[in-house]
Amino acid sequence: SSATTPIRATLFPGDGIGPEIAESVKQVFQAAEVPIEWEEHYVGDQIDPRTQSFLTWESLESVRRNGVGLKGPMATPIGKGHRSLNLTLRKELNLYANVRPCYSLPGYKTRYDNVNLITIRENTEGEYSGLEHQVVRGVVESLKIITRQASLRVAEYAFHYAKTHGRERVSAIHKANIMQKTDGLFLKCCREVAEKYPEITYEEVVIDNCCMMLVKNPALFDVLVMPNLYGDIISDLCAGLIGGLGLTPSCNIGEGGIALAEAVHGSAPDIAGKNMANPTALLLSSVSMLRHLKLHDKADRIQDAILNTIAEGKFRTADLGGTSTTTDFTKAICDHL
Amino acid sequence: SSATTPIRATLFPGDGIGPEIAESVKQVFQAAEVPIEWEEHYVGDQIDPRTQSFLTWESLESVRRNGVGLKGPMATPIGKGHRSLNLTLRKELNLYANVRPCYSLPGYKTRYDNVNLITIRENTEGEYSGLEHQVVRGVVESLKIITRQASLRVAEYAFHYAKTHGRERVSAIHKANIMQKTDGLFLKCCREVAEKYPEITYEEVVIDNCCMMLVKNPALFDVLVMPNLYGDIISDLCAGLIGGLGLTPSCNIGEGGIALAEAVHGSAPDIAGKNMANPTALLLSSVSMLRHLKLHDKADRIQDAILNTIAEGKFRTADLGGTSTTTDFTKAICDHL
Ligand SMILES: CC(C)[C@H](C(=O)O)[C@@H](O)C(=O)O
Ligand SMILES: CC(C)[C@H](C(=O)O)[C@@H](O)C(=O)O
């Protein structure tokens, strides 16, 4: 049984505040008796020739073997010619869908109290192709690549997600009025998949209009699926509606069922080591990881403990206007468990 | 003097609600005794062989000759292979900068009461190149083109605008961490221009982070300058903060000092001809046009009359929760003059 055979999961504490917020997750998991054994990996301080990256071969192998992982913020080492570590992970592990739930946190007031949506972002191509060149002096171009395969794959993920999570609507976000071929192909794929899910309402929304509607009334949206860059933009916008990236979970889904959950905020070097960081984004990401493992009881308990702690408002970190340390906040969550 | 020699300006009433809101502008200009004589042009119902577009050769010549114009919404005729009328105008008239002021309207409550920013969008290239093709079956690409010339030109416009409008800061919005060459060139050009304006603070903000900050606290921004698509997205987002595209002016600036002001909302065919449309966006755009003509007295008077009418709240159109007709609202503005 799962009580006797722990599930192995990879943990990248990451840089800056990463180790502190990862410690928070470890303590909460211990308090909740989650049957997980962490395999901890750090970003190397030099390029591993086997991955051509600061990510070690062992760390990538660990995620592939375990199928699940949790990742703190990683600051890409300064220097020329290195891909961002985040992008390398997405590419190497073929993490094709980035899922970011975004909901208003009870008791934590922002201008919006009715946010409850999921952004699902194509995570491997589009504007992130890395294909760029100078055509002539003073004229450069970037290639945005959209493929049928990647578009169908993320659309399928989005509709399946909607169906299995009791969601009613999928909105495909695009700019096909301008990029008729690329975004047009993306929409075509979404439409094909939509036909297989007649119980899910499907709509298409132009990205500029979507952003306007999101800030006017985010309750208009449910599940949103979109090409890479639009997902980057809209997921951050949505995070802003409920308080920022410090509060929103994220999970990357790869081929073969790999799931790498991650906090998408930065490594905040200015407050690193000061016991001030807010571990909420990484904690909620760890909850996503548990759901991926179908450990729903544990996920529910931990999520409730986090949300209740924030709702009570007694223990809040500085970014939320409180004075609690990371360890105080973590302890408060553990006490709820 | 300007009282005896009227200034000629081109007017494109446009489609749908366009003629009604254009009528509102004409009445307000009359009430304010603006020395403008309109040259009215409509979109044709067939392609003009001289422009290869539904826009007539005469209408483009009119804008070129007058140097100023005002444009209502234009619905691109359905059918294959026609460029959007808006894009054709930008291209044919080389309208390189799209300027959209966005400020909270006194008395019209949204979630934000502290918006006061200007988005300045590169309007001719970037993701709007129209260069797209299928590489192989199921693989398509779009080219984003960034040139030194267009980037310098819009950056120069933005800094000059900031300086001459008492603005303190210019933020260049980008995704150069991913599109290092294209957005990198854009930033390089902004930096070059920034050096010539030491009195203006210059900063660079990644687009995803910018959107998050905008919804959290729009007061962080002053003048924003950016490539085409980011401008499309962010200007709509900002419009959403203060109530929507029905309330925000826009002005396109072209080489040789051409200015084509426009309402950027749609043509709303569902309410066309019903005397229900809100003319505010076109009216405020006409104010931008007057400022471009340095008719600041008239511009101030009309702007005050519009804002006061909205602030009083007695006459508001349906989109703002009121019951006034377009003509009632217009009359209320005229009464303020
Ligand atoms: C850090 C950056 C490369 C990354 C992205 O653009 O995808 C980040 O913004 C994100 O959303 O994970
Ligand atoms: C209608 C569309 C082509 C246009 C654009 O994308 O530029 C519109 O959104 C705008 O902002 O003027």
Side-chain angles (χ1 to χ4, degrees):
Chain A
S1 87
S2 65
T4 53
T5 320
I7 300 164
R8 299 182 74 83
T10 307
L11 178 64
F12 291 100
D15 306 309
I17 56 171
E20 293 160 84
I21 60 178
E23 183 58 35
S24 171
V25 173
K26 286 192 263 181
Q27 280 171 20
V28 170
F29 273 35
Q30 207 159 10
E33 298 178 345
V34 181
I36 284 219
E37 199 167 282
W38 296 110
E39 278 180 24
E40 234 169 274
H41 286 277
Y42 284 84
V43 178
D45 53 11
Q46 51 193 15
I47 292 188
D48 185 324
R50 293 164 298 176
T51 65
Q52 308 247 42
S53 142
F54 288 88
L55 292 161
T56 66
W57 183 82
E58 285 79 11
S59 70
L60 295 180
E61 273 303 296
S62 168
V63 184
R64 287 197 191 97
R65 190 175 52 241
N66 296 329
V68 283
L70 180 68
K71 171 189 164 294
M74 287 181 183
T76 299
I78 310 288
K80 283 211 181 294
H82 307 310
R83 254 193 312 185
S84 125
L85 298 175
N86 293 307
L87 297 198
T88 305
L89 275 170
R90 291 176 199 167
K91 187 113 185 182
E92 291 301 320
L93 300 173
N94 206 356
L95 301 170
Y96 67 86
N98 178 229
V99 185
R100 299 200 195 172
C102 190
Y103 45 87
S104 301
L105 297 181
Y108 181 65
K109 227 180 118 46
T110 69
R111 291 186 169 85
Y112 301 85
D113 56 10
N114 55 351
V115 183
N116 180 9
L117 51 81
I118 315 277
T119 63
I120 298 185
R121 163 185 182 184
E122 202 294 320
N123 217 12
T124 65
E125 57 177 34
E127 308 78 358
Y128 284 63
S129 71
L131 300 168
E132 290 189 294
H133 62 272
Q134 176 173 304
V135 182
V136 295
R137 237 177 113 88
V139 179
V140 288
E141 62 185 30
S142 297
L143 271 57
K144 165 171 169 171
I145 311 284
I146 298 286
T147 68
R148 184 170 156 77
Q149 191 224 342
S151 303
L152 283 175
R153 186 169 62 171
V154 75
E156 184 62 61
Y157 187 86
F159 278 93
H160 182 257
Y161 185 100
K163 184 173 175 169
T164 54
H165 289 74
R167 298 270 173 175
E168 285 171 10
R169 191 149 39 111
V170 171
S171 310
I173 313 304
H174 68 95
K175 190 77 192 178
N177 49 340
I178 296 300
M179 281 161 280
Q180 297 175 0
K181 293 197 177 163
T182 46
D183 285 6
L185 175 57
F186 185 81
L187 288 185
K188 189 167 173 292
C189 293
C190 289
R191 279 175 213 153
E192 275 181 46
V193 175
E195 288 195 357
K196 300 197 290 169
Y197 292 84
E199 69 279 30
I200 308 286
T201 306
Y202 171 66
E203 65 171 4
E204 297 170 355
V205 185
V206 180
I207 180 162
D208 44 340
N209 189 33
C210 176
C211 290
M212 184 169 71
M213 288 163 70
L214 275 170
V215 300
K216 286 185 76 170
N217 184 8
L220 293 170
F221 293 99
D222 192 346
V223 175
L224 297 89
V225 63
M226 57 217 130
N228 211 338
L229 182 66
Y230 308 155
D232 182 52
I233 294 170
I234 287 187
S235 60
D236 270 38
L237 188 168
C238 292
L241 301 176
I242 67 114
L245 288 181
L247 299 173
T248 51
S250 165
C251 191
N252 297 286
I253 305 296
E255 290 285 10
I258 280 187
L260 182 62
E262 62 170 340
V264 284
H265 56 67
S267 59
D270 49 321
I271 60 161
K274 294 190 180 156
N275 200 15
M276 283 175 68
N278 182 351
T280 301
L282 193 66
L283 283 165
L284 290 177
S285 298
S286 76
V287 169
S288 295
M289 191 190 85
L290 294 179
R291 296 203 187 284
H292 187 82
L293 290 167
K294 305 230 184 317
L295 296 174
H296 289 293
D297 283 356
K298 300 288 185 196
D300 289 343
R301 273 189 67 210
I302 295 177
Q303 181 164 347
D304 287 351
I306 300 166
L307 298 188
N308 288 334
T309 304
I310 294 173
E312 284 171 16
K314 238 183 101 188
F315 295 96
R316 279 185 185 168
T317 45
D319 59 313
L320 300 188
T323 57
S324 293
T325 61
T326 310
T327 42
D328 287 346
F329 177 69
T330 305
K331 194 172 168 304
I333 295 169
C334 292
D335 289 347
H336 268 94
L337 283 165
Chain B
S1 87
S2 65
T4 53
T5 321
I7 300 164
R8 298 181 75 84
T10 308
L11 178 63
F12 292 100
D15 307 310
I17 56 171
E20 293 159 85
I21 60 178
E23 183 57 35
S24 170
V25 172
K26 287 192 263 181
Q27 282 171 20
V28 169
F29 272 36
Q30 207 157 11
E33 299 179 344
V34 180
I36 284 218
E37 198 167 282
W38 295 111
E39 278 181 26
E40 235 170 273
H41 286 277
Y42 284 83
V43 177
D45 54 10
Q46 51 193 13
I47 292 188
D48 184 325
R50 293 164 298 175
T51 66
Q52 308 246 42
S53 144
F54 288 87
L55 291 161
T56 66
W57 184 81
E58 285 78 10
S59 69
L60 296 180
E61 272 304 294
S62 167
V63 185
R64 288 199 190 96
R65 190 174 54 240
N66 296 328
V68 283
L70 180 68
K71 171 190 163 293
M74 287 180 182
T76 298
I78 309 288
K80 282 212 183 293
H82 306 310
R83 253 191 314 184
S84 125
L85 298 175
N86 293 307
L87 297 197
T88 305
L89 276 171
R90 291 176 200 167
K91 188 113 184 181
E92 292 301 320
L93 299 173
N94 205 358
L95 301 171
Y96 67 84
N98 179 229
V99 184
R100 300 200 194 170
C102 189
Y103 45 86
S104 301
L105 296 181
Y108 182 65
K109 227 179 118 49
T110 69
R111 291 185 168 87
Y112 300 84
D113 57 9
N114 55 352
V115 183
N116 179 7
L117 51 81
I118 315 277
T119 62
I120 299 185
R121 162 184 183 184
E122 201 294 319
N123 217 12
T124 64
E125 55 176 35
E127 308 78 358
Y128 284 63
S129 71
L131 299 168
E132 291 189 294
H133 62 272
Q134 176 173 303
V135 183
V136 295
R137 238 177 112 89
V139 179
V140 288
E141 62 186 29
S142 297
L143 270 55
K144 166 171 169 171
I145 310 283
I146 298 286
T147 68
R148 184 171 156 76
Q149 191 225 341
S151 304
L152 283 174
R153 186 169 63 172
V154 74
E156 183 63 60
Y157 187 86
F159 278 93
H160 182 257
Y161 185 100
K163 185 174 175 169
T164 53
H165 289 74
R167 299 269 173 175
E168 285 171 9
R169 190 147 41 111
V170 171
S171 311
I173 313 303
H174 69 95
K175 190 76 191 178
N177 49 341
I178 296 300
M179 281 162 280
Q180 297 175 1
K181 292 197 178 164
T182 45
D183 285 6
L185 174 58
F186 184 81
L187 288 185
K188 189 167 174 294
C189 293
C190 289
R191 279 175 214 153
E192 275 181 48
V193 176
E195 288 196 357
K196 300 197 290 168
Y197 292 83
E199 69 278 31
I200 307 285
T201 306
Y202 171 66
E203 65 170 4
E204 297 171 355
V205 185
V206 179
I207 181 161
D208 44 339
N209 190 34
C210 176
C211 290
M212 183 168 73
M213 288 162 71
L214 276 169
V215 299
K216 287 184 75 171
N217 183 9
L220 293 170
F221 293 99
D222 192 347
V223 175
L224 297 88
V225 63
M226 57 217 131
N228 211 338
L229 182 67
Y230 308 156
D232 182 52
I233 294 171
I234 286 188
S235 59
D236 271 37
L237 188 168
C238 293
L241 301 176
I242 67 114
L245 287 180
L247 300 173
T248 51
S250 165
C251 190
N252 297 287
I253 305 297
E255 290 286 9
I258 280 187
L260 182 64
E262 62 170 340
V264 284
H265 55 68
S267 59
D270 49 320
I271 59 161
K274 296 191 179 155
N275 200 15
M276 283 175 70
N278 182 351
T280 301
L282 193 66
L283 283 165
L284 290 177
S285 298
S286 76
V287 169
S288 295
M289 192 192 84
L290 294 180
R291 296 203 187 282
H292 187 82
L293 290 167
K294 305 231 182 314
L295 296 174
H296 290 293
D297 283 356
K298 300 290 185 195
D300 289 343
R301 271 187 68 209
I302 295 177
Q303 180 164 347
D304 287 351
I306 300 166
L307 299 187
N308 288 334
T309 304
I310 294 174
E312 285 171 18
K314 238 181 103 188
F315 295 96
R316 281 186 183 166
T317 46
D319 58 315
L320 300 188
T323 56
S324 293
T325 61
T326 310
T327 42
D328 286 347
F329 177 69
T330 304
K331 196 173 166 304
I333 295 169
C334 293
D335 289 345
H336 268 94
L337 283 165

